């Protein structure tokens, strides 16, 4: 049976936040409050309708007044394969989406659907239809996952009418599924956006040239949607304004002002955003909370219709300010609602200090690029609500009296301690360091990463409120100490250590460069001073190599950055960070050398070889910092399991590893590892997770 950890009793909402719970009319429907989960990708398609319904429904349970889908294709000519995208092409899709609508409505929220045609920005790899575009201008992406060789066709009058018809047909299906708000999506480089932007739209007919002509297609999409659904559903326009705001207009402050003026009364709701994923969903390293305001702040001055926008809002004070200053009518959330689906309810209950705040790491976005259901560093239950029956605020209560000793208070240890304690275990959490938090104590002090400290703060705050948890820092435990303490279950969460491994043309770590003046991130964390010039050699490919290069440059050292990959911090393309990583390195005066192997370091000279051609180059450097391979710190675990008779005699039933001690990874992996371990103390699954299946009321090929 579930036990609700947060009862929401005994607290009172801060009256300053009451405005967030006002009802907001949106055309013919009414949002029960101002919390609006805007459309965002979830990686959950019609292949996972139950996973999707549980994920969206939980937002409504948590207090979000409107809960939206991600992009939903209206026709096979909008095919984003192999990336995960939803469809509304036939009646089978209606049934799949109806599950989400029912889950959302069950908790009194409105359900919104983002109908979508990708135009020239999709490659139609599965449908093999030539992509549609206003003028044959294709998206020349530099990310391999978005590249394709089929160029778009120029839409003729018949094509335009087809898209309008498909939009109307999809809107009718959406209404049948139970959606209350139907979107026209004119943003992020997709087809309606392409008509708005002059670089894409070079037409000389009624749909091109002047802004008034370029806006015509969007206006007709809105009309087609309204004609299809009548007066029972609201029609929303989601529009990107970043590029339009930067363009001058003869009679308006910008083309953005002109577009909004021309369409001001057409939709029932304006959903305003940026133009590209890196700027719209920027990581906290590069953009603060509420960073969209300078672009979208004018919209409410032009239209009387309600406006929703985003900005990685986690602070109710920031949200209230946006409402009171007339920037927004509804507080949009995507990442904040993934990190804590119960954010609205916690504010309403006066428990805002218990919000699991988004850290802006963008692991959620990387999940979509990976083609899997959404993952979250802060919230391990995201995407697992149906598959594993994990609820972020409810926990099965243990009947066991086993006491749990967790050694290591990094991300995995903190999460395991918190979830085990919420299930009723008596938990002891021990760490050898003065401050709990593990690797995050060092990393969150690095340039741009301070927001990530929320991973520590949220968990430590919660643990300190609980009377079944004992916290011990400055406590290094040996095997004999553990055997004497009398706990029935022991968990080792002692993290991992960086090595001096090199990188091979086989694309694997090989050997080690064990020489003087060769360092790892652990040396920097320990405060060891290194001499410049410094080469940072990075084949970890995530954030740390670039951030450490910035840190060393800020200390006045001459720093170069090298990697075997094609970009600095190459994997950050998945988290929307890569453009800004390169900008930061350039601004710090750090040259970037790509596609090279580190071969030698002798006499203050680095030997680098091109990974493809083996061409050699030399670089002057006194020191080398290698950010590459990590290995588990598992010696304590190995010592304990080496003598099972001794652990059994001490009353220890199990010895386990979690987090980096089990398998080094990103923080999200450590949090998940700790969470999964703790949940399984109470609920042992017979399988890894429930496997979802599509809904097929009508067989393939049926005329419907």
């Amino acid at each position: 049976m579930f036990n609700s950890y947060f009862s929401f009793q005994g607290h009172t909402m801060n009256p300053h936040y009451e405005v967030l719970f006002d009802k907001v009319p949106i055309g013919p429907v009414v949002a029960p409050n101002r919390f609006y989960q805007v459309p965002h990708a979830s990686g959950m398609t019609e292949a996972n309708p139950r996973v999707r319904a549980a994920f969206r429904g939980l937002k409504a349970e948590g207090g979000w007044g409107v809960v939206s889908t991600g992009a939903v294709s209206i026709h096979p000519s909008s095919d984003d394969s192999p990336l995960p995208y939803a469809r509304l092409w036939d009646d089978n899709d209606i049934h799949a989406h109806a599950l989400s609508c029912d889950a959302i409505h069950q908790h009194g929220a409105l359900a919104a659907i983002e109908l979508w045609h990708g135009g020239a920005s999709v490659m139609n790899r599965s449908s093999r239809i030539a992509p549609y575009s206003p003028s044959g201008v294709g998206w020349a992406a530099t990310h391999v996952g978005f590249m394709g060789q089929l160029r778009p066709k120029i839409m003729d009058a018949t094509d335009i009418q087809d898209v309008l018809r498909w939009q109307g047909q999809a809107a009718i299906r959406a209404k049948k599924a139970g959606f209350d708000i139907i979107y026209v999506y004119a943003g992020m480089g997709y087809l309606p956006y392409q008509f708005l932007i002059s670089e894409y739209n070079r037409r000389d007919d009624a749909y091109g040239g002047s802004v008034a002509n370029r806006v015509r297609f969007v206006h007709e999409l809105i009309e087609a949607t309204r004609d299809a659904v009548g007066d029972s559903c609201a029609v929303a326009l989601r529009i990107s304004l970043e590029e339009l705001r930067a363009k001058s207009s003869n009679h308006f402050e910008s083309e953005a002002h002109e577009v909004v003026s021309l369409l001001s009364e057409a939709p029932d709701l304006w959903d305003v955003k940026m133009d590209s994923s890196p700027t719209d969903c920027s990581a906290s390293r590069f953009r603060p909370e509420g960073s969209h305001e300078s672009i979208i702040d004018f919209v409410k001055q032009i239209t009387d219709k309600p406006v929703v926008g985003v900005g990685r809002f986690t602070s109710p004070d920031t949200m209230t300010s946006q409402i009171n200053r007339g920037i927004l009518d509804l507080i949009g959330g995507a990442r904040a609602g993934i990190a804590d689906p119960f954010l609205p309810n916690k504010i309403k209950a006066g428990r805002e200090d218990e919000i699991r705040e988004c850290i802006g790491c963008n692991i959620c976005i990387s999940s979509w690029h990976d083609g899997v259901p959404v993952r979250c560093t802060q919230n391990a239950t995201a995407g697992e609500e149906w598959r594993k029956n994990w609820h972020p605020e409810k926990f099965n209560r243990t009947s066991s009296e086993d006491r749990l000793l967790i050694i290591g208070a990094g991300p995995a240890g903190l999460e395991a301690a918190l979830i085990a304690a919420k299930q009723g275990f008596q938990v002891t959490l021990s760490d050898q360091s003065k401050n709990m938090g593990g690797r995050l104590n060092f990393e969150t002090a690095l340039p741009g990463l301070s927001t990530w400290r929320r991973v520590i703060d949220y968990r430590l705050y919660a643990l300190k409120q609980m009377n079944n948890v004992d916290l011990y820092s400055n406590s290094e435990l040996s095997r004999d100490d553990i055997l004497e303490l009398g706990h029935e279950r022991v968990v080792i969460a002692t993290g991992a250590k960086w090595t001096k491994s090199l990188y091979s043309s086989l694309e694997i770590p090989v050997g080690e460069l064990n020489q003087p003046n060769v360092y790892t991130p652990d040396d920097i964390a320990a405060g060891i001073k290194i001499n410049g010039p410094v080469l940072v050699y990075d084949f970890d490919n995530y954030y740390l190599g670039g951030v450490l290069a910035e840190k060393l440059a800020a200390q006045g050292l001459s720093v170069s950055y090298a990697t075997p990959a094609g970009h600095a911090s190459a994997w950050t393309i998945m988290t929307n960070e890569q453009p800004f990583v390169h900008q930061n390195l350039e601004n710090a005066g750090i040259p970037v050398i790509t596609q090279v192997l580190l071969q030698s370091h002798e006499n203050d000279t680095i030997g680098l070889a091109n990974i493809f051609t083996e061409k050699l180059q030399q670089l002057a450097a006194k020191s080398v910092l290698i950010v590459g391979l990590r290995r588990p710190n598992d010696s304590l675990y190995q010592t304990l399991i080496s003598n099972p008779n001794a652990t059994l005699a001490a009353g220890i039933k199990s010895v386990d590893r979690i987090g980096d001690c089990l398998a080094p990874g990103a923080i999200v992996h450590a949090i998940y590892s700790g969470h999964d371990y703790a949940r399984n103390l109470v609920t042992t699954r017979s399988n890894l997770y429930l496997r979802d299946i599509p809904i097929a009321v009508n067989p393939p090929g049926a005329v419907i």
Side-chain angles (χ1 to χ4, degrees), residues 93-172:
D93 297 334
I94 293 175
H95 291 290
H97 283 287
L99 289 182
S100 291
C101 289
D102 291 345
I104 293 166
H105 290 152
Q106 179 182 350
H107 300 285
L110 299 177
I113 183 169
E114 183 182 53
L115 298 183
W116 160 77
H117 197 292
S121 68
V122 296
M123 297 298 110
N124 293 343
R125 294 177 177 91
S126 293
S127 69
R128 305 183 75 174
I129 297 171
Y132 283 34
S133 72
S135 306
V137 178
W139 184 31
T142 57
H143 182 346
V144 172
F146 293 108
M147 289 180 182
Q149 294 304 311
L150 179 60
R151 302 305 178 215
K153 64 176 290 189
I154 300 172
M155 295 171 67
D156 59 24
T158 299
D159 295 324
I160 289 174
Q161 291 305 310
D162 283 344
V163 174
L164 293 173
R165 176 166 48 85
W166 298 332
Q167 173 77 17
Q169 291 170 344
I172 291 171

Side-chain angles (χ1 to χ4, degrees), residues 399-623:
S399 59
S400 171
E401 296 184 357
D402 287 351
R403 293 161 296 175
L404 181 64
L405 172 63
I406 301 173
I407 302 168
L414 287 168
E415 180 74 359
L418 181 58
I419 302 308
K422 287 181 177 182
Q423 295 174 121
F425 287 94
Q426 185 66 42
V427 177
T428 299
L429 178 60
S430 170
D431 196 277
Q432 66 179 0
S433 300
K434 177 182 178 181
N435 298 312
M436 292 188 170
R439 58 187 278 197
L440 281 171
N441 283 312
F442 166 61
E443 293 184 11
T444 57
L446 295 172
L449 296 180
S450 60
T451 304
W452 292 20
R453 185 164 180 86
R454 292 172 176 176
V455 172
I456 304 173
D457 293 343
Y458 166 77
R459 288 163 179 80
L460 271 182
Y461 173 83
L463 288 167
K464 290 176 180 178
Q465 315 306 309
M466 307 177 78
N467 58 16
N468 58 331
V469 176
D470 295 313
L471 303 174
Y472 295 96
S473 56
N474 279 328
S475 298
E476 184 171 0
L477 298 179
S478 67
R479 169 184 171 277
D480 292 342
D481 294 330
I482 294 167
L483 296 177
E484 293 173 2
L485 285 173
H487 294 82
E488 286 75 21
R489 299 188 183 277
V490 176
V491 184
I492 310 299
T494 46
K497 57 181 176 294
W498 291 94
T499 71
K500 298 178 181 179
S501 293
L502 294 172
Y503 190 78
S504 160
S505 58
L506 294 175
E507 299 187 306
I508 58 173
V510 58
E512 289 197 0
L513 189 62
N514 288 311
Q515 297 178 4
N517 300 319
V518 177
Y519 304 94
T520 72
D522 292 331
D523 296 319
I524 308 300
I528 294 175
K529 302 298 182 183
I530 66 178
N531 297 316
V534 182
L535 173 70
V536 175
Y537 187 69
D538 179 16
F539 62 91
D540 176 61
N541 294 325
Y542 194 17
Y543 59 90
L544 194 59
V547 171
L548 286 174
E550 291 181 49
K551 173 183 172 63
L552 295 174
Q555 295 174 351
L557 297 176
S558 174
V559 181
S560 299
Y561 173 99
T563 176
H567 294 83
S569 301
W571 194 77
T572 61
I573 189 70
M574 306 292 281
T575 54
N576 286 351
E577 297 173 282
Q578 191 179 86
F580 307 119
V581 169
H582 278 266
Q583 290 174 15
N584 276 17
L585 293 174
E586 174 69 21
N587 292 337
I590 301 170
V592 174
I593 308 166
T594 61
Q595 302 176 2
V596 291
L597 301 174
L598 172 58
Q599 290 196 326
S600 63
H601 179 219
E602 298 176 357
N603 301 319
D604 295 343
T605 301
I606 301 290
L608 300 171
N610 184 276
I611 193 171
F612 301 118
T613 67
E614 299 183 354
K615 182 180 178 180
L616 298 175
Q617 62 176 298
Q618 292 185 332
L619 182 73
K622 289 183 178 295
S623 304

Side-chain angles (χ1 to χ4, degrees), residues 24 26 29-32 60 64-68 104-105 108-112 180-181:
V24 180
I26 305 173
V29 300
V30 178
W64 294 86
V66 180
V67 179
S68 308
I104 293 166
H105 290 152
L110 299 177
D180 307 288
I181 301 172

Side-chain angles (χ1 to χ4, degrees), residues 177-197:
F179 287 101
D180 307 288
I181 301 172
I182 318 293
Y183 267 81
V184 171
Y185 191 7
M188 299 285 284
Y190 300 130
L191 184 60
Y193 172 93
Q194 293 162 21
F195 273 84
L196 292 175
I197 302 298

Side-chain angles (χ1 to χ4, degrees), residues 58-59 61-64 336-344 356 379 385 392:
L58 193 71
K59 309 285 189 72
E61 181 185 344
W64 294 86
I338 297 170
D340 196 336
F342 280 71
L343 180 149
R356 191 186 307 104
N379 177 16
E385 299 87 355

